[in-house]
Amino acid sequence: MAGGAATARPAAAATNYLIVTVEQAANQIQRFSNGTTNWNGTPDWYWTAPSNANTSSWYRLSDVKRRTTAKWDDVLACTSSGTSDLGGRAAMIRESDKSIVWSVVVPGNPHSIERIKGHGAVVTASSRARVFGTTKNDWQNGGGINVFVPSTLGGTPPTSFADSISVGFPGAHGVWWDDANELLVATGKDELRAYRLVTNGSGIIVGLSLAASLALTGVGHDVQPDYASDKIFYTVGGDSSNPGRGIWETTLLRDTTTGTWSFAPPTRIHDWLFTKSYSRLPDGTGFWQDAPDANEWWSDTIGFSGRADSVRSGAKFYKARFWSHVLS
């Protein structure tokens, strides 16, 4: 009945990979090699958010993913949480000249970003509404998944939140485009979801359709692929009283008879409390950002399995990502 998930991405030949982070002390995107443990000094690639970041929508960079585009070459897609009255921001920074090639204000404390290959659409996951005067539990005005879709294939996404496609998802924190299965995977309060794209006759995205759902206990903080296999990792925050806390792995399964999707029963691989991101490199090395307690979501350390952690003195790392599917 149930068919297997897509073929795993091939492992790279080398083990000296590049890691990209968001670092909130300097409010920068920073890139380092996982071959070193001392990350002090100038990163080998970095970009600084606009200088008024502490009082604007650029406040506190919250996610970054490196993506290849036909229009702007390689970009760093990023989000920032912003301030409570202004909202946050989603943007794409061109790698070659560090110019902002696209950005939009997102009013819902965006925690994560993705770009949908082949459509040019940008997706954000916002944990809650942060429009001045609303309550924290108003999930509809900015909370959830927001898709910014170009009006033509290969075009530029809109730069107005009002022009996005919005799907309510309480506590949405993580989003990832599964290009092998062509599904948008997102995590939030009490649930991991996979969405199909709904398109019109011209191939333009007009909506999302729920394809699969997996219950969890707590708030899912992040979702990332395992670059060494077809597994999917998601992190769930919470103190020791939350039975759903930790790092979990699952896979997407497609029933070859009905064409329906489901998540495989999950397995908890680490009983950790406040992990904000987790993945594995193509050689199987796990890497993560793990906060020290509930009041501090950052750390000066990125952990790696099988070796000492990498440390940058005074840093406030919030997320860590594999720079590319291909060794740069």
Side-chain angles (χ1 to χ4, degrees):
M1 278 273 290
T7 303
R9 295 180 175 88
T15 56
N16 185 27
Y17 301 107
L18 298 175
I19 305 297
V20 62
T21 68
V22 283
E23 197 282 294
Q24 294 185 349
N27 214 32
Q28 290 181 338
I29 298 170
Q30 298 177 345
R31 188 186 76 187
F32 303 94
S33 168
N34 85 315
T36 62
T37 57
N38 183 351
W39 282 5
N40 291 311
T42 303
D44 59 11
W45 190 97
Y46 68 95
W47 175 84
T48 307
S51 59
N52 64 340
N54 288 342
T55 57
S56 79
S57 57
W58 286 107
Y59 185 44
R60 287 180 176 161
L61 291 172
S62 56
D63 191 19
V64 62
K65 295 183 178 81
R66 182 176 182 256
R67 296 293 184 255
T68 296
T69 75
K71 190 176 183 67
W72 297 292
D73 298 322
D74 294 336
V75 299
L76 282 302
C78 66
T79 50
S80 54
S81 292
T83 60
S84 59
D85 54 344
L86 294 176
R89 186 171 289 270
M92 289 189 286
I93 316 303
R94 183 159 45 211
E95 179 187 340
S96 59
D97 62 6
K98 301 182 181 180
S99 63
I100 301 171
V101 296
W102 176 85
S103 74
V104 62
V105 172
V106 182
N109 189 11
H111 274 70
S112 187
I113 190 167
E114 184 58 286
R115 184 177 184 275
I116 301 180
K117 179 181 178 182
H119 293 270
V122 177
V123 185
T124 61
S126 296
S127 65
R128 64 170 67 94
R130 292 182 68 177
V131 178
F132 187 74
T134 64
T135 67
K136 287 185 176 181
N137 292 323
D138 178 4
W139 304 105
Q140 300 307 309
N141 194 349
I145 306 301
N146 304 300
V147 189
F148 299 84
V149 183
S151 58
T152 59
L153 291 177
T156 301
T159 55
S160 168
F161 175 78
D163 295 326
S164 69
I165 298 169
S166 295
V167 177
F169 190 174
H173 267 65
V175 64
W176 165 65
W177 174 242
D178 181 348
D179 54 359
N181 293 316
E182 296 190 334
L183 293 171
L184 186 68
V185 184
T187 187
K189 185 176 185 294
D190 297 331
E191 199 171 359
L192 182 71
R193 298 179 181 178
Y195 294 97
R196 294 187 188 91
L197 303 181
V198 179
T199 59
N200 63 19
S202 300
I204 305 299
I205 300 170
V206 295
L208 299 177
S209 173
L210 187 64
S213 177
L214 177 67
L216 56 90
T217 303
V219 176
H221 277 293
D222 197 32
V223 58
Q224 281 289 282
D226 179 357
Y227 292 99
S229 77
D230 60 3
K231 295 175 183 176
I232 298 169
F233 298 114
Y234 62 98
T235 69
V236 182
D239 59 25
S240 58
S241 66
N242 177 23
R245 68 190 180 275
I247 314 300
W248 298 78
E249 66 180 26
T250 183
T251 55
L252 274 164
L253 303 174
R254 184 175 182 271
D255 189 302
T256 55
T257 301
T258 65
T260 58
W261 289 92
S262 63
F263 288 103
T267 300
R268 178 159 50 194
I269 60 173
H270 295 296
D271 186 10
W272 298 348
L273 301 181
F274 307 108
T275 308
K276 305 303 183 182
S277 68
Y278 184 95
S279 186
R280 284 193 189 122
L281 296 168
D283 67 352
T285 300
F287 69 104
W288 58 86
Q289 188 275 332
D290 195 34
D293 55 53
N295 297 316
E296 297 181 357
W297 51 86
W298 62 84
S299 67
D300 64 358
T301 301
I302 300 300
F304 292 90
S305 63
R307 70 158 179 84
D309 298 338
S310 292
V311 179
R312 181 173 175 83
S313 300
K316 291 184 176 181
F317 294 127
Y318 181 58
K319 298 276 179 64
R321 308 296 193 200
F322 182 28
W323 176 259
S324 174
H325 288 200
V326 179
L327 185 67
S328 297

